[in-house]
Amino acid sequence: MSTRLATGPAEPATDRTVVGENLSLPLFRTLSGVLAGHPYLKVVVDRVEDTWHLLDTGAHPFHVDYVATRVLGMDLAALDAQLDAFNASVYSDPERRFLLGVLSLHTEQEEGRERPFLVLETTEADTMGGGLLLFFYEFVRARVDSSLPLLLKPANHGQEEELSAISEQRVPRILSHELFGSRERTPLNPGEATGRLRFFRTAQEYRAAEHGLGWADIVAMPCLPDDVPRVAGFINTAPITPLSHTNVLASGWGIPNAIVRDLERLVDEDGLDDAWVRYRVDEDDIALERLDHEPDLRAPAWHQQRIRLEPPLLEDAPVLSLHRLRSADRDRYGTKAANLGELHHVLDSRTVDLTSYYGRPRPPREDLYGHLAARLGLDKAFTAEQLRFRAAEFVAEAVGAPEGVALPFALQQRFLASSPALQQGIGKLKMALELDATEVLDSLCLHLQHLIRQTPVPESVTRQIDQAFPAAAASRGRLVVRSSSNAEDLPGFSAAGVYDSVTTVHGTGELLDAVRQVWASLVSPRSVRLRHQVGISLDDTYMGVIIQEYVPASLGGVLVTCNPTRREDFRNVYLNCSPGSPEQVVDGTVLPQQYLYNTVEGGGRTVALGSWGQGLSADVRARLADLSLTGRLLQSHFSGTDVDRPLDIEWLMTEQGDFRLVQIRPYAL
């Protein structure tokens, strides 16, 4: 449920909306629609008239349209002209006349049979306090069939805190992650594919068959590995987050991905393993249909996809501190380093306009500047200059950029040129790619990687690294060495999880080993195959390196400035986190906590607690709300001319409580 985004479709001729009637299960089914697999019904409580309206879902897609036109006698043009003020009157006014909500129907197993129950909730932007929530629940409870259990689901963290002062005996409740955390089927990335289902119960089964996987396969297993090849679709039979590496790959590749926890039962009942199937994932449904014959498949569009890189600049360039780089330096130092340099510039200069996302029209609204001003604490008489200044100030106060140095492509080029054996290995690999001799690629890549890791680094290259990051600094503690290629974070080619980063480096000797490991990851079998599939030439591909001092983290994770499972949602950003390093979130070693934060009206809600038994404190969740708004503001700058293009931001909270952004890149949709 959400506040109205645009004028709804014309009402059908029949409208079964009822006013003042008690709700039975048959009446619920008559009026309800289906959302995310569950029947649901919109309700409007009129406190002045002491009655309620049960809306025919097919006739009334938006609460506010119904209240304005059918109860108050307004026309839609008048509503559009004052939509934000009207929304405030029904979602945030503590003395509001109307209470808007949704009833959804669920079932639970009890003594071997299914028992239905209803859940009442408001929109995520609703600011009902404890008194209104209590009134709303008791009003609805008195008018619903007493045989149907009714639970209240707080729609945001604010409502959770308000309800904490009210006993659960008086207001029985259920939290979002409790209601949906065990759901059997969850869409992750929308799409449709026809292919052969390959079902693996264990990682060992997958490894035994992975070399035989092809572009027409749909791979299903509990948790797909990060190095899965490009195929037609993914199915996970165990919970994962939408921000996992494999789902980032699915998004970038445009293939369907979902969690289907009962797939093993479906496979056994319908003989789906190794069968041809049609697989569809959308925001509200997941379908898997067995075909009775092998389809006539055409090669996928990505077989013809060709991505062109800007020519890398290989002339001598110095090792530079990250704060001296800008986005234009990506052709010398790689995308990751250039983006971190640009982040330093944004935070230091405070002159960049970070408000343009909110300036885009969201019909019927001309812009969202008023909402942003409210989030930033400005009064209603703000000027555009005040809004831009406050946005830049807010971001600079909320987050920091990591310190470190960036090694240019030129150092890798000098290293490769220093060894005839390396040159010979590169030549053989280029020849195999030109001849499309894929059967020998893996062995050539592995041999070349071994050579890179074992070849001594020329003294001139070592000296440049030592001068920029001296041995005294390297010996002080743990270092982090990250990849920064020019063949990643590109439109149509994210390369999430493809290149190596080394996070446990101590001392100068380990530092050089880590740099060579990062360089070697550029020619791993997987990275070479993925680039070759989209026409990225080995000649044009180079690896920069970022060296940083390790910063201990109390909390870390990833946020994307969109709702990855509901693409039309312009309000929310999706945030994952877990105690400690953000690497745990992206590499899938733990199931993170998951949150949605509304960056328009404000507020947040818990989606899942992951591997952790309890959620974060209210204070930390409020800090994460600020971090989420910061990500949205940075989107205005880093997304260029398309301000709706979301960002993927890796972050950590230091032990002192400060936020650091350690990576910022486009999020593939």
Side-chain angles (χ1 to χ4, degrees):
M1 185 179 73
S2 64
T3 52
R4 194 172 73 83
L5 307 184
T7 301
E11 293 182 6
T14 58
D15 179 356
R16 296 163 294 184
T17 295
V18 298
V19 180
E21 291 189 22
N22 286 349
L23 181 64
S24 63
L25 193 55
L27 179 58
F28 178 95
R29 295 190 185 280
T30 298
L31 300 174
S32 65
V34 176
L35 182 65
H38 296 282
Y40 78 102
L41 172 65
K42 296 181 179 69
V43 300
V44 174
V45 170
D46 187 337
R47 299 170 70 201
V48 171
E49 298 293 335
D50 191 33
T51 190
W52 71 336
H53 303 246
L54 306 176
L55 308 191
D56 181 346
T57 303
H60 302 290
F62 304 110
H63 287 85
V64 290
D65 282 6
Y66 177 84
V67 171
T69 61
R70 300 295 291 271
V71 181
L72 300 179
M74 299 171 59
D75 61 37
L76 286 177
L79 175 61
D80 285 351
Q82 54 177 305
L83 182 58
D84 287 330
F86 193 91
N87 279 337
S89 75
V90 295
Y91 292 122
S92 58
D93 184 347
E95 303 300 324
R96 70 191 76 168
R97 171 181 171 179
F98 300 102
L99 306 180
L100 314 185
V102 163
L103 282 166
S104 55
L105 181 64
H106 303 262
T107 59
E108 63 180 352
Q109 292 292 326
E110 184 178 81
E111 297 179 352
R113 59 178 181 171
E114 288 189 344
R115 183 183 72 143
F117 65 96
L118 291 174
V119 172
L120 175 67
E121 63 180 305
T122 72
T123 181
E124 63 191 29
D126 199 301
T127 61
M128 277 192 201
L132 276 182
L133 288 168
L134 174 61
F135 175 87
F136 192 31
Y137 175 82
E138 291 184 337
F139 188 100
V140 174
R141 173 68 281 179
R143 290 159 178 80
V144 170
D145 185 340
S146 60
S147 67
L148 283 172
L150 177 67
L151 304 176
L152 180 66
K153 181 167 81 69
N156 51 52
H157 293 145
Q159 289 187 4
E160 286 182 30
E161 292 163 22
E162 289 287 333
L163 281 172
S164 64
I166 301 173
S167 75
E168 293 201 36
Q169 284 72 34
R170 191 167 186 186
V171 181
R173 69 206 64 167
I174 189 168
L175 301 180
S176 179
H177 66 269
E178 295 171 333
L179 185 62
F180 297 115
S182 60
R183 61 195 295 187
E184 286 195 326
R185 301 179 185 182
T186 304
L188 294 172
N189 193 64
E192 185 170 336
T194 298
R196 184 178 57 161
L197 183 68
R198 304 294 303 278
F199 177 57
F200 305 106
R201 289 173 172 78
T202 66
Q204 291 76 14
E205 287 184 13
Y206 168 82
R207 290 300 176 192
E210 63 177 318
H211 291 296
L213 295 175
W215 60 264
D217 288 325
I218 297 168
V219 179
M221 60 188 297
C223 183
L224 285 96
D226 283 352
D227 61 356
V228 63
R230 193 163 187 171
V231 291
F234 296 156
I235 303 177
N236 302 267
T237 60
I240 66 164
T241 165
L243 303 189
S244 67
H245 269 157
T246 50
N247 197 53
V248 172
L249 289 174
S251 180
W253 292 343
I255 63 175
N257 188 19
I259 301 169
V260 183
R261 299 176 73 170
D262 60 340
L263 182 66
E264 184 167 359
R265 176 181 62 81
L266 299 177
V267 166
D268 291 341
E269 290 179 357
D270 301 331
L272 293 179
D273 189 22
D274 215 31
W276 291 98
V277 299
R278 184 172 292 110
Y279 172 41
R280 189 188 77 255
V281 176
D282 59 37
E283 294 170 346
D284 298 319
D285 189 34
I286 300 164
L288 193 62
E289 174 192 359
R290 177 169 181 162
L291 304 178
D292 56 10
H293 62 280
E294 180 176 342
D296 182 16
L297 295 179
R298 296 180 179 178
W302 58 263
H303 268 219
Q304 286 75 46
Q305 181 183 16
R306 289 297 176 263
I307 293 175
R308 295 288 177 253
L309 303 181
E310 291 296 321
L313 300 181
L314 303 177
E315 71 271 13
D316 279 342
V319 178
L320 289 181
S321 296
L322 289 174
H323 72 266
R324 295 181 60 188
L325 299 181
R326 295 292 301 275
S327 60
D329 291 312
R330 66 185 67 245
D331 53 5
R332 290 182 177 86
Y333 296 87
T335 309
K336 194 178 299 181
N339 284 347
L340 289 177
E342 188 70 18
L343 176 62
H344 274 280
H345 168 71
V346 169
L347 300 181
D348 294 342
S349 71
R350 302 196 184 188
T351 59
V352 175
D353 181 7
L354 302 178
T355 67
S356 56
Y357 178 87
Y358 291 85
R360 178 174 172 182
R362 309 287 175 181
R365 303 167 182 84
E366 292 185 4
D367 58 62
L368 298 174
Y369 286 140
H371 289 283
L372 176 59
R375 301 279 73 73
L376 297 176
L378 296 176
D379 61 37
K380 293 183 179 180
F382 68 91
T383 66
E385 183 178 0
Q386 289 173 329
L387 187 64
R388 287 194 296 270
F389 176 80
R390 178 61 190 131
E393 182 181 53
F394 178 88
V395 169
E397 292 170 350
V399 300
E403 300 296 332
V405 300
L407 310 188
F409 299 158
L411 290 191
Q412 183 203 21
Q413 171 66 4
R414 281 162 53 191
F415 167 72
L416 296 175
S418 71
S419 166
L422 286 175
Q423 291 298 301
Q424 185 180 45
I426 293 170
K428 288 181 179 179
L429 181 56
K430 288 180 181 177
M431 181 65 69
L433 290 170
E434 289 173 6
L435 298 175
D436 205 24
T438 55
E439 70 279 359
V440 298
L441 278 184
D442 285 10
S443 61
L444 290 175
C445 288
L446 292 172
H447 177 66
L448 184 53
Q449 284 191 290
H450 175 76
L451 286 176
I452 291 173
R453 294 191 186 102
Q454 300 302 316
T455 299
V457 179
E459 184 179 347
S460 62
V461 174
T462 303
R463 189 184 313 116
Q464 274 194 263
I465 297 174
D466 286 344
Q467 289 172 351
F469 211 94
S475 63
R476 282 202 297 265
R478 180 174 164 184
L479 302 177
V480 177
V481 178
R482 300 182 184 276
S483 62
S484 182
S485 170
N486 63 336
E488 61 182 321
D489 302 341
L490 304 171
F493 191 77
S494 72
V498 171
Y499 305 119
D500 286 355
S501 291
V502 187
T503 61
T504 55
V505 179
H506 297 83
T508 305
E510 288 188 13
L511 173 58
L512 291 178
D513 288 343
V515 169
R516 282 181 294 193
Q517 180 175 334
V518 172
W519 282 340
S521 69
L522 193 68
V523 291
S524 70
R526 183 170 183 243
S527 69
V528 169
R529 286 179 181 275
L530 289 175
R531 291 195 305 268
H532 183 59
Q533 287 171 352
V534 296
I536 296 177
S537 169
L538 187 62
D539 284 329
D540 293 335
T541 309
Y542 279 84
M543 179 66 76
V545 178
I546 300 169
I547 304 172
Q548 302 164 277
E549 291 190 39
Y550 173 76
V551 178
S554 60
L555 193 69
V558 177
L559 72 87
V560 293
T561 58
C562 66
N563 181 348
T565 63
R566 194 163 291 277
R567 301 299 173 82
E568 75 279 5
D569 178 3
F570 63 82
R571 290 173 161 81
N572 288 289
V573 305
Y574 204 90
L575 184 146
N576 284 188
C577 62
S578 66
S581 166
E583 277 80 12
Q584 294 183 93
V585 173
V586 298
D587 67 14
T589 55
V590 300
L591 193 61
Q593 296 188 17
Q594 302 172 45
Y595 299 90
L596 275 170
Y597 284 98
N598 185 326
T599 60
V600 178
E601 291 89 2
R605 54 194 170 100
T606 304
V607 177
L609 292 182
S611 302
W612 316 103
Q614 60 184 19
L616 301 169
S617 69
D619 288 343
V620 173
R621 292 193 312 231
R623 297 282 314 281
L624 293 180
D626 288 345
L627 176 65
S628 299
L629 179 56
T630 296
R632 178 70 83 202
L633 292 169
L634 289 172
Q635 180 178 340
S636 292
H637 178 69
F638 282 90
S639 295
T641 57
D642 182 6
V643 295
D644 274 346
R645 188 176 64 162
L647 299 179
D648 176 337
I649 298 174
E650 192 174 318
W651 58 273
L652 58 83
M653 178 188 283
T654 69
E655 293 178 340
Q656 292 72 41
D658 302 321
F659 284 121
R660 302 273 183 92
L661 307 188
V662 296
Q663 182 168 318
I664 185 166
R665 61 186 177 186
Y667 179 71
L669 284 177

